[in-house]
Amino acid sequence: MGLNRADSLFRQGQYSVAPVFPAGLGFEVAGVIEAVGEGVDEFRAGQAVSVVPGFNLLDYPMHGEAVLAPVNAVVAHPEQLSFEQAASAWMQYITAYGGLVEIANTQPGDTVVISAASSSVGLAAIQIARRAGAQAVALTRTGTKRQQLLDAGADVVIATTEEDVVARIRDLTGGRGARVVFDPVGGATLATSIEAAAQEAILVIYGVLDFSPATVSVMDVLLKRLTIRGFGVAELASDSRRLGPAVDYVRKGIVAGDLVPVIDKVFPLEDFADAHRYLERNDQVGKIVVAVP
């Protein structure tokens, strides 16, 4: 079972969907099929599969010893992935693919600024930006995780509480600014992102870690002709015309070795609550996984 920030937000009543009790948790799992429903021909009992998040959590909670998943969300993951890696792949890579490839059309030579870069989606975005031939600039609060982010493929790491983010990005881009910003934070950082953005840049907002109001310079948005685009993985995953190419892209990237899920820590099922506490401390670099015996 792969943990995501959405699981914590849902549990705390801060997610976009309110819990209806009794409520289950979880979007991401990998396991073995016990049985298939009537009319399902593409999968069989005993097959190793994982789940692409793109369904209502109230209908299909995924964290349990046995779960029911809609067939359109089930995929046979590449064989070289362990179950822990397979439970870590789809939320992060489909989210990063949707923002950086499908929406922003990231190209060679682009500078991509990635906020909360040590999260699983942040690390996926680093890998996808590099795969597109772009410069991956990782943002993190302090320099503590700098080397880990560089080891994960970031070209540059900026500690947001220790450095002048806008000055660094302008310096890296010859004064132009970043063409793509990929951000799950929002709040006060949005103003910084707008200031650091290039002409006609696109800012993809895929989460809200900071619920404080954002102060936006409308003049900057107008003069730079910026696009600010909200994006959630369910938007893509619930559309079969878009999901197919996304899964294809991720599968090929994994097989080629360009996309490698980074796992921070694996908890046993009996320590599920501790896994959530660890997620909420924000100390991880990569995915937190809970293993079911």
Side-chain angles (χ1 to χ4, degrees):
M1 305 188 292
L3 265 59
N4 292 283
R5 185 66 52 182
D7 303 333
S8 172
L9 294 175
F10 180 78
R11 202 195 74 246
Q12 297 176 73
Q14 296 179 329
Y15 193 56
S16 56
V17 177
V20 177
F21 295 106
L25 280 172
F27 280 103
E28 225 172 353
V29 291
V32 176
I33 294 176
E34 183 174 293
V36 298
E38 185 178 345
V40 174
D41 300 318
E42 59 266 53
F43 298 106
R44 67 185 185 280
Q47 187 175 2
V49 295
S50 45
V51 173
V52 178
F55 42 82
N56 190 325
L57 184 57
L58 298 178
D59 296 330
Y60 296 103
M62 286 291 118
H63 286 174
E65 293 170 288
V67 297
L68 179 67
V71 68
N72 59 297
V74 177
V75 294
H77 49 257
E79 291 181 0
Q80 63 261 54
L81 293 185
S82 66
F83 279 114
E84 289 83 3
Q85 290 175 313
S88 305
W90 298 108
M91 175 73 88
Q92 61 174 331
Y93 287 125
I94 295 292
T95 303
Y97 166 90
L100 299 186
V101 178
E102 191 185 75
I103 293 173
N105 189 28
T106 301
Q107 298 293 314
D110 282 344
T111 294
V112 179
V113 173
I114 300 161
S115 303
S118 60
S119 69
S120 58
V121 178
L123 295 172
I126 290 171
Q127 293 178 12
I128 286 177
R130 291 292 300 271
R131 193 168 194 249
Q135 176 179 229
V137 178
L139 303 188
T140 184
R141 287 173 299 164
T142 70
T144 307
K145 300 175 182 177
R146 185 185 303 276
Q147 191 56 52
Q148 288 169 286
L149 289 169
L150 291 170
D151 293 344
D155 293 293
V156 178
V157 177
I158 301 175
T160 59
T161 61
E162 300 168 4
E163 303 175 67
D164 185 326
V165 176
V166 175
R168 285 291 313 278
I169 291 170
R170 286 180 176 166
D171 184 54
L172 291 167
T173 58
R176 294 185 304 276
R179 195 188 77 77
V180 181
V181 176
F182 190 57
D183 178 51
V185 181
T189 65
L190 185 58
T192 303
S193 297
I194 288 172
E195 194 177 351
Q199 289 284 326
E200 299 184 350
I202 182 163
L203 286 69
V204 180
I205 313 298
Y206 70 94
V208 189
L209 295 177
D210 181 354
F211 284 88
S212 63
T215 302
V216 174
S217 169
V218 177
M219 187 60 74
D220 272 351
V221 175
L222 286 172
L223 294 178
K224 290 185 177 182
R225 301 185 295 278
L226 301 180
T227 298
I228 301 175
R229 170 69 152 82
F231 172 71
V233 68
E235 171 196 333
L236 190 159
S238 60
D239 184 340
S240 58
R241 295 169 301 176
R242 297 167 65 187
L243 181 60
V247 169
D248 224 32
Y249 176 95
V250 173
R251 195 188 304 277
K252 287 176 180 174
I254 289 170
V255 170
D258 298 330
L259 306 181
V260 181
V262 177
I263 297 173
D264 180 275
K265 192 169 183 179
V266 179
F267 287 81
L269 181 60
E270 59 265 29
D271 293 338
F272 187 85
D274 288 337
H276 267 252
R277 294 185 186 104
Y278 184 66
L279 172 72
E280 288 157 11
R281 289 209 304 270
N282 296 315
D283 290 335
Q284 76 274 16
V285 177
K287 197 76 166 186
I288 300 166
V289 176
V290 175
V292 180

